[in-house]
Amino acid sequence: MLTTNKTQGKQLSWVNISFLMLTPIIALLGTGLYIHQNGIQIFDFLNFLLFFILTGVAITGGYHRYFAHRAYGCKPILELFYLVFGAGAFQNSALRWASDHRDHHRYVDTEQDPYSIMMGAFYAHMGWIFYKEPSNRNFDNVPDLLKDRLVLWQDRHYLLLSMLIGFVLPLAVGFAVGRPWGGLLWGGFLRIVITHHMTFSINSLAHMVGSQSYSLEDSSRDSWWLAFLSNGEGYHNFHHRFQGDYRNGVRWYHWDPTKWFVKILSWMRITSHLNRTPDDTIFRARLDTDMSRVQKKLDGASEGMRRHVLAQLQSGREALERARRRWAEVRAGYLQVRANAIAHSSQVLQDWKENIRNCEKELRQASHRWRNLCRV
Ligand SMILES: [Zn+2]
Ligand SMILES: [Zn+2]
């Protein structure tokens, strides 16, 4: 816990507190009562889903990965979509959200982190929003956004936009199918509350539970189930280590619909310059983290023991890096040969494949040894 009281001298924001307290009550009681009286129709659920997806991706793909991290480039039409539908998530304007978030990364776990987990789970989750922004707030950390006319326009009209997209539009969609109150409750209140707590969980749970494969330097953690609930944002340890990467779930099978959305739009040239951390850098970060974890475990062990374990670890790491380099070289060679397949006989291709299989076997053995060495 932080020793100084970060909330000292801050004024409570009764508007924020009321909104954060009343929306869940209306979402639960109102929707429950509505279901009791009118039942559930597919239109209600579709209304929820529509606004859940639109405002959700505007936050994860837009506010977070585009505005806060500039992890890729995008066309103004997509930027406008992010700003309009992001407002409907009731999470502040993109300018303020991104500014808070850049501070979170820069000062993570310290007193300057706006939603530091060191202030406790509730404060990191939503307690920090209970306070008014300081009147002397500056935006020094978002100079790029201050030059963006669309961002400034959204900041100026944030309240109007958020009411229109957050409540009026779901009501109108509901009205179109003869269920206006269903639209307001399902696509408005219920969806806002769920999207809120999905985002809030990344600031609380993703700094409390899960694994740390890429860095032990801060409290961030990776968890697949949180990623599943948050459009891929739950791979938070990777994200804190490589915040400029457009992916949070780095493996192809990691549940990260936001990265798939950005990738698919790049095929249509709506997004561009997708920032990817090189595989080698990620691989080395994992090894560094494994080594740091072992070093921590060795705190208090005798000097002789420390030296012995670290020497073993170093040799295991070198063997693993060698095996990986060799595998990458052989694989690159195979791909080149395959590209010129007509010029080569099928026997040549078979030989390359066999070579790759041998390298993979060697790599698996070296990985296995590494994992055993790390289990001290
Ligand atoms: Zn974080
Ligand atoms: Zn981030």
Side-chain angles (χ1 to χ4, degrees), residues 335-351:
L335 291 175
Q336 215 168 26
V337 169
R338 201 180 62 174
N340 300 311
I342 302 161
H344 299 281
S345 69
S346 65
Q347 185 55 48
V348 172
L349 283 172
Q350 285 307 321
D351 290 347

Side-chain angles (χ1 to χ4, degrees), residues 109-311:
D109 299 339
T110 71
E111 206 174 323
Q112 287 137 293
D113 175 354
Y115 25 88
S116 172
I117 196 67
M118 299 302 156
M119 292 289 289
F122 181 76
Y123 184 87
H125 190 76
M126 60 194 288
W128 70 283
I129 311 166
F130 285 13
Y131 298 91
K132 285 183 182 169
E133 289 179 0
S135 52
N136 59 349
R137 175 173 193 171
N138 70 56
F139 293 97
D140 291 351
N141 64 348
V142 282
D144 50 325
L145 298 183
L146 288 175
K147 284 184 219 141
D148 188 321
R149 279 185 187 183
L150 284 174
V151 169
L152 296 179
W153 166 80
Q154 191 234 24
D155 187 60
R156 258 195 319 276
H157 303 290
Y158 168 71
L159 195 59
L160 176 67
L161 279 171
S162 56
M163 296 302 280
L164 282 176
I165 302 296
F167 293 123
V168 177
L169 201 55
L171 178 80
V173 173
F175 185 78
V177 293
R179 293 172 75 84
W181 294 110
L184 182 65
L185 288 164
W186 280 83
F189 284 99
L190 189 63
R191 184 264 316 162
I192 287 169
V193 171
I194 290 178
T195 315
H196 263 174
H197 289 278
M198 268 172 45
T199 306
F200 299 168
S201 296
I202 300 303
N203 299 337
S204 55
L205 292 176
H207 281 269
M208 295 166 73
V209 285
S211 59
Q212 293 185 295
S213 304
Y214 303 95
S215 170
L216 302 178
E217 297 294 305
D218 58 56
S219 59
S220 62
R221 281 162 164 74
D222 280 350
S223 81
W224 64 266
W225 59 269
L226 199 50
F228 188 72
L229 296 174
S230 62
N231 285 337
E233 305 277 87
Y235 296 107
H236 205 53
N237 187 247
F238 175 84
H239 174 61
H240 266 272
R241 182 72 179 78
F242 301 110
Q243 58 174 291
D245 199 307
Y246 84 98
R247 307 160 299 175
N248 279 14
V250 69
R251 312 245 165 159
W252 65 268
Y253 55 83
H254 282 169
W255 180 261
D256 188 356
T258 306
K259 94 179 159 190
W260 296 323
F261 175 77
V262 172
K263 183 75 183 164
I264 289 168
L265 290 187
S266 75
W267 298 334
M268 303 172 200
R269 306 212 187 287
I270 296 171
T271 59
S272 60
H273 305 93
L274 276 50
N275 191 8
R276 280 172 65 103
T277 311
D279 289 348
D280 260 357
T281 309
I282 296 171
F283 177 69
R284 276 200 299 277
R286 287 187 72 109
L287 297 187
D288 288 342
T289 308
D290 287 342
M291 284 189 90
S292 303
R293 190 175 283 114
V294 173
Q295 275 167 342
K296 275 193 180 175
K297 281 189 203 162
L298 288 173
D299 278 352
S302 69
E303 190 51 33
M305 170 77 166
R306 263 180 73 84
R307 249 193 239 150
H308 172 71
V309 172
L310 291 178

Side-chain angles (χ1 to χ4, degrees), residues 64 69 101 105 239:
H64 186 210
H69 291 299
H101 194 69
H105 276 269
H239 174 61

